[in-house]
């Protein structure tokens, strides 16, 4: 094994990288250290072994078929031990201070004897954007906390793929004893809907001085939030933050009620002075108290599982359609006819479905 | 032909009802009056013959296969003459005054020499809810206006089906020379997303005294609105309506920008005194001016056509999956396993897809 190969293998072991990304020729199976069996993985995870947990998540994130099979076996075995955490989604545009907030919030949780896992979804991220080692560097204190586990974003890929990886990683983290799972995402795209479909509580981080900072937040995300937290409420910024809080409180009041019966709230906090971080925590407690009592918490989880199944089926059915060679051959031309108003979308669609179902 | 059959046939001719709904045994093809050919339909529509337009929409709404084929032929021929209208979606909870608003708004449009067609989407409506003859009765003046065409809701059906029927009816109305199309929907369900995907401008009707009245509006609808119009701003209500306008203006200000670059506005109006109705109109003009200049108007239409094609394909692909007998046999049990956390949704999904693709 060359020095380069060794370093790559090490990164893989640490769960920092996927084998096929560092060196396409490098084969995990052929590395000196023998591959663990599914049982060894599961035993390690259930014992809370973080290195093995990391390796298991690497398998989940891997694109190699043999890793997929093994990871599914591990997940199936971990599934009965999962589900006992509170899953918190956190989103906000770049610059809003997600990492420092998660650091402060996570430290508060670990000080209360919680075990915290931080996962990230960012399907648009190319490594260069710095979400890989960056997360660990930016969350300096949390990353060395023995009760915290920080997992950098999986590599760029389709949203469906990344969402699946994160859902499965949640299962593994829960089986490893983490009872607070934080899923971080950048508030600029469709990934929030995906995160919303896998967490219990959805928190939108904002900055004071509404307007410019909102440019990046996609429409619809505000209405998904269970809490809007105005970050960086410190120093000269406190007054502006309080004003923003008042404004968001009024706006949230105008929103239609949620099916959880929870009334979304606006809060301020400072990840720097730590002011208000405890209120975020108590808000989440209030939420889980309410939704546990009224049954929504459990019902929501069941709906999420159903949703995931349906989502998988939708994706897979469409993959079958769009990869059909007869469809591929005609699609572009038919779509052009539709876009230019030459052909009704319904007639065009029926033609394509006919091509798909034709036995050849 | 019996008296009952004759009355039924008459209703069908008027486009008030679908043949198979009045008397299942009644066959449109067998009625004394011979069925028009596709060419006769198209010629009639292009001449602006409202009776023939009505009949053509009835074909579009029909569930009979032979009607489907004929209607698709008519639509294909009308398609090149369509697209030259401004399509306005109007939504709001029951009681907000949609019909009286559309009456006042429509009358203003026809007084300006516009030709106005009013269509409705209400997939949940059972006839008993009164949307059938009710629409015409409630819009007394507009319904007898020679430059207006009011088409009651198609019968209850799947949202996809109802949306298709409305999209195709829009094409026929445009080919018949209607240059303002109003699509009405009840703001309580998914149908707004469908309407949003077929109109140029989306208007949300509200009442003053936010809170109680919002109970019925689904989350996410507010963020789709290009304008929020507070109705019933008359008499004692004016002050409250102005207050609501201010509140909504602030709330809209907090929303992220739209991709059309349009800044959604809040307005007040009274369908009774007609105050503010002209402002709704000038708001829509401002919108179309802006989006015509910046290219969004056309781009949006092209995206809608693409969206409709994709939507059709998704629906049809999933229909193929869900109607597969091997899938049907196993689905319920597998779903239960997922909901109860016994089986991972991904493993369950893969099993079901395997059943679907299995050649038997």
């Amino acid at each position: 094994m060359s020095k380069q190969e060794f370093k790559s293998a090490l990164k893989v072991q640490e769960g920092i990288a996927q084998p096929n990304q560092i060196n396409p020729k490098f084969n995990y199976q052929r590395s000196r250290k023998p591959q663990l069996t599914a049982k060894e993985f599961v035993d390690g995870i259930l014992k809370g072994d973080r290195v093995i947990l990391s390796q298991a998540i690497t398998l989940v994130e891997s694109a190699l078929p043999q890793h997929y099979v093994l990871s599914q076996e591990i997940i199936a075995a971990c599934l009965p031990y999962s589900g006992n955490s509170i899953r918190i989604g956190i989103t906000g545009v770049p610059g809003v201070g997600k990492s420092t907030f998660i650091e402060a919030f996570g430290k508060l949780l670990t000080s209360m004897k919680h075990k915290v896992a931080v996962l990230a979804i960012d399907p648009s991220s190319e490594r260069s954007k710095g979400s890989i080692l960056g997360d660990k560097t930016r969350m300096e204190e949390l990353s060395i906390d023995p009760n915290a586990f920080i997992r950098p974003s999986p590599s760029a890929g389709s949203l469906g793929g990344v969402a699946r990886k994160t859902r499965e990683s949640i299962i593994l983290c829960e089986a490893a004893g983490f009872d607070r799972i934080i899923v971080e995402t950048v508030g600029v795209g469709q990934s929030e809907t995906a995160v919303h479909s896998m967490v219990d509580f959805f928190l939108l981080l904002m900055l004071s001085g509404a307007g410019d900072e909102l440019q990046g937040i996609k429409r619809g995300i505000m209405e998904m939030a269970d809490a809007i937290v105005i970050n960086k409420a410190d120093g000269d910024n406190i007054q502006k933050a309080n004003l923003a809080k008042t404004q968001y409180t009024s706006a949230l009041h105008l929103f239609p009620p949620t099916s959880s019966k929870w009334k979304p709230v606006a809060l301020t906090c400072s990840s720097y002075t730590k002011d208000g971080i405890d209120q975020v925590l108590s808000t989440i407690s209030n939420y889980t108290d309410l939704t546990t009592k009224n049954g929504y918490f459990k019902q929501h989880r069941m709906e999420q599982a159903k949703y995931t199944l349906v989502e998988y089926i939708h994706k897979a059915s469409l993959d079958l359609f769009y990869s059909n060679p007869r469809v591929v051959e005609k699609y572009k031309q038919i779509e052009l006819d539709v876009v230019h108003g030459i052909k009704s979308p319904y007639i065009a669609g029926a033609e394509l479905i006919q091509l798909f179902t034709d036995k050849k």
Side-chain angles (χ1 to χ4, degrees), chain A:
Chain A
M1 188 184 256
S2 74
K3 201 172 165 185
Q4 181 55 39
E5 277 178 345
F6 179 75
K7 272 169 84 178
S8 300
L10 201 68
K11 282 191 185 168
V12 170
Q13 297 301 335
E14 287 171 345
I16 297 172
Q18 292 172 33
N20 54 335
Q21 275 173 335
I22 294 161
N23 177 351
K25 282 185 196 149
F26 176 75
N27 189 327
Y28 194 51
Q29 303 281 16
R30 269 195 278 127
S31 76
R32 284 262 172 89
K33 197 166 173 180
Q35 166 92 55
L36 297 178
T37 64
K39 191 179 177 311
E40 286 166 331
F41 268 115
V42 174
D43 288 347
I45 290 168
L46 294 180
K47 261 188 278 171
D49 183 323
R50 299 149 61 98
V51 174
I52 289 179
L53 172 62
S54 245
Q55 289 171 359
I57 295 181
T58 302
L59 287 181
V60 163
E61 292 177 354
S62 165
L64 298 179
Q66 68 267 34
H67 289 174
Y68 180 75
V69 173
L70 181 58
S71 71
Q72 291 304 314
E73 214 178 315
I74 298 167
I75 287 159
C78 284
L79 209 53
Y81 303 95
S82 72
N84 299 316
S85 82
I86 295 174
R87 304 165 185 169
I88 302 158
I90 296 183
T91 194
V93 293
V96 76
K98 285 188 296 299
S99 298
T100 46
F101 174 80
I102 292 171
E103 163 114 331
F105 184 62
K107 283 301 288 177
L108 179 62
L109 286 170
T110 57
S111 77
M112 298 170 74
K113 308 287 171 226
H114 286 299
K115 290 189 72 186
V116 179
V118 180
L119 305 170
I121 287 199
D122 186 3
S124 66
S125 96
E126 297 297 328
R127 295 282 164 137
S128 61
K129 281 189 189 159
S131 55
I132 169 75
L133 284 169
D135 284 347
K136 287 207 182 193
T137 327
R138 278 182 279 129
M139 299 180 200
E140 263 178 43
E141 282 186 61
L142 199 60
S143 61
I144 53 164
D145 190 319
N147 286 314
F149 174 81
I150 301 178
R151 179 70 185 191
S153 312
S155 65
S158 77
L159 176 58
V162 174
R164 174 183 68 75
K165 290 166 188 173
T166 308
R167 279 207 188 87
E168 297 184 341
S169 301
I170 290 176
I171 293 169
L172 300 183
C173 289
E174 289 176 345
F178 291 92
D179 63 346
R180 293 294 181 276
I181 313 284
I182 295 174
V183 184
E184 178 197 351
T185 183
V186 177
V188 289
Q190 289 250 283
S191 46
E192 284 66 37
T193 315
V195 174
H196 193 241
S197 73
M198 63 178 79
V199 298
D200 305 308
F201 188 92
F202 194 69
L203 190 156
L204 174 59
L205 271 188
M206 292 283 229
L207 291 174
S208 58
D212 287 354
E213 293 82 1
L214 277 170
Q215 298 296 331
I217 284 282
K218 265 202 100 176
R219 291 175 81 79
I221 291 179
M222 258 179 75
E223 291 201 25
M224 295 195 313
D226 296 304
I228 292 178
V229 177
I230 297 129
N231 197 13
K232 302 190 182 178
D234 40 45
D236 295 346
N237 219 11
I238 291 182
Q239 210 176 347
K240 261 168 68 188
N242 282 328
L243 181 64
K245 180 183 154 178
T246 311
Q247 287 174 329
Y248 282 114
T249 302
S250 315
L252 287 170
H253 187 72
L254 291 171
F255 279 8
T258 59
S259 39
S260 61
K261 309 283 179 218
W262 170 254
K263 290 191 172 66
V265 294
L267 303 165
T268 60
C269 81
S270 163
S271 307
Y272 177 65
T273 66
K274 317 281 189 278
D275 284 339
I277 301 285
D278 52 339
Q279 271 180 289
V280 175
L281 191 60
S282 60
T283 299
I284 296 174
S285 297
N286 292 342
Y287 175 86
T288 51
D289 286 353
L290 174 81
T291 54
T292 306
K293 268 190 208 128
N294 70 18
Y296 180 81
F297 193 89
K298 203 178 162 194
Q299 184 205 330
H300 188 220
R301 287 265 178 107
M302 286 168 84
E303 275 164 14
Q304 286 178 329
K306 240 193 210 170
Y307 174 88
T308 308
L309 173 62
V310 167
E311 201 187 42
Y312 179 94
I313 288 169
H314 284 205
K315 168 90 174 52
S317 305
L318 291 178
D319 281 352
L320 289 175
F321 174 84
Y322 284 112
S323 63
N324 180 292
R326 290 180 303 276
V327 169
V328 170
E329 195 193 330
K330 301 277 186 185
Y331 196 88
K332 278 283 157 220
Q333 186 52 50
I334 291 179
E335 187 187 52
L336 271 180
D337 289 350
V338 168
V339 164
H340 293 126
I342 297 165
K343 196 171 265 181
S344 140
Y346 298 102
I347 292 173
E351 277 177 27
L352 286 164
I353 290 292
Q354 188 58 48
L355 288 171
F356 176 57
T357 50
D358 266 356
K359 301 278 179 296
K360 198 4 236 292

